[in-house]
Amino acid sequence: MSEKIIEVKKLGKTYDNEGVSTRALIDVSFDIKKGEFVAIMGPSGSGKSTLLQILGLLDDYSHGHYYLDGKNIKDYHQAEIAKIRNEKMGFVFQAFNLLARSSVLENVKLPLLYSKRPEKEWDRLAREAVIAVGLEHRMHHEAKQLSGGEKQRVAIARALVNEPQVIFADEPTGNLDSKSGQAVIEILQRLNQERGHTIILITHETYTAEYAERIIRLYDGQLESDCQVENRRTDGKSFIK
């Protein structure tokens, strides 16, 4: 049995704004095993993006417990958390967040600036990541010259460059047409199946979520369901148990 990489118990998040408290997450509990591809779904305001921010160590939680590789996040120092974000986690966002006038290769190298990787390895690592998403023919093009789907593939390559354990993808197909979106999600699925990356995908699209092997649904900040996906979608239909 695969070991747990992430475990949350009774996780909660409350935002306080001028004396008004809003509960974004309410006693959410689940675990994710190393090498899983998990989709997190829910309507707007359900808490899915808040959950991703907490799991990705970009935000803190109000109560409960979060264990990463078996260790309580509260036991890590801030310097350790920053190192984990850079070396063990990769992030893909809806907005791409690329430098428009920099080349594909230069954009993909960016996370390496904050890593302990020797500079002599940066070019090789970035090239390997670009090849992994099928953009070697665009290696030296500026980001502004790319289509939306190509930009998102660059963002995935950038997330890959430090060879992270976990890739967090927050609505990665949200700004793309259906064909480009399918190509992006199939890349994430391939990275999971062929390279063993743990993928945590935030999406509101059932079609996209069915490329995962498991779907966690949130509603009003609470865990509504946690279902395995039978016959995962590749180029055909998928059915949720």
Side-chain angles (χ1 to χ4, degrees):
M1 182 180 294
S2 298
E3 61 184 284
K4 297 174 185 176
I5 189 169
I6 285 172
E7 183 177 11
V8 296
K9 295 182 178 180
K10 301 268 184 196
L11 196 71
K13 175 68 176 180
T14 301
Y15 292 101
D16 292 308
N17 185 20
E18 297 182 354
V20 178
S21 295
T22 302
R23 300 178 75 187
L25 289 175
I26 305 169
D27 294 341
V28 172
S29 299
F30 61 85
D31 59 65
I32 295 174
K33 294 181 176 63
K34 193 169 292 185
E36 274 196 289
F37 186 165
V38 178
I40 299 174
M41 297 190 71
S44 179
S46 62
K48 58 186 187 295
S49 291
T50 297
L51 179 59
L52 181 138
Q53 294 278 318
I54 292 171
L55 297 180
L57 305 178
L58 300 170
D59 196 6
D60 200 2
Y61 50 95
S62 303
H63 65 265
H65 301 280
Y66 173 17
Y67 299 92
L68 181 67
D69 285 331
K71 184 176 178 179
N72 195 318
I73 286 299
K74 297 295 187 184
D75 293 334
Y76 287 98
H77 299 297
Q78 285 302 311
E80 290 178 295
I81 287 176
K83 182 179 179 182
I84 289 167
R85 273 199 307 263
N86 181 254
E87 297 180 0
K88 289 192 173 185
M89 298 177 172
F91 298 89
V92 182
F93 298 104
Q94 182 176 341
F96 316 136
N97 298 330
L98 302 180
L99 299 179
R101 295 184 178 276
S102 295
S103 72
V104 167
L105 196 64
E106 289 166 341
N107 270 283
V108 172
K109 281 183 184 178
L110 285 175
L112 296 169
L113 298 175
Y114 308 99
S115 75
K116 292 186 177 180
R117 302 271 191 171
E119 189 172 350
K120 64 182 180 181
E121 294 183 7
W122 291 1
D123 195 68
R124 174 184 61 80
L125 290 167
R127 286 176 179 277
E128 287 176 355
V130 172
I131 291 169
V133 300
L135 278 181
E136 54 268 36
H137 61 295
R138 295 289 207 181
M139 192 89 69
H140 301 292
H141 284 66
E142 292 184 353
K144 66 181 180 180
Q145 297 174 298
L146 306 180
S147 68
E150 288 173 333
K151 288 177 181 177
Q152 195 58 291
R153 286 155 70 183
V154 175
I156 294 172
R158 183 182 56 198
L160 275 177
V161 75
N162 270 327
E163 300 173 337
Q165 285 183 297
V166 186
I167 296 175
F168 294 96
D170 191 359
E171 299 280 7
T173 63
N175 284 335
L176 306 178
D177 60 64
S178 59
K179 184 177 180 180
S180 298
Q182 182 175 345
V184 163
I185 208 69
E186 286 178 352
I187 287 171
L188 290 173
Q189 188 183 61
R190 191 175 74 245
L191 293 173
N192 170 250
Q193 293 178 328
E194 298 179 6
R195 296 177 54 150
H197 292 284
T198 304
I199 309 289
I200 300 176
L201 167 71
I202 298 291
T203 183
H204 65 277
E205 301 167 332
T206 299
Y207 178 90
T208 300
E210 288 176 347
Y211 280 87
E213 59 189 300
R214 179 174 156 213
I215 297 177
I216 293 172
R217 293 183 187 273
L218 298 179
Y219 188 78
D220 285 347
Q222 299 182 71
L223 183 66
E224 183 180 49
S225 64
D226 186 348
C227 302
Q228 294 293 319
V229 177
E230 188 175 339
N231 301 321
R232 293 170 67 180
R233 188 183 293 278
T234 51
D235 57 357
K237 289 186 176 180
S238 178
F239 302 92
I240 301 174
K241 287 181 180 177

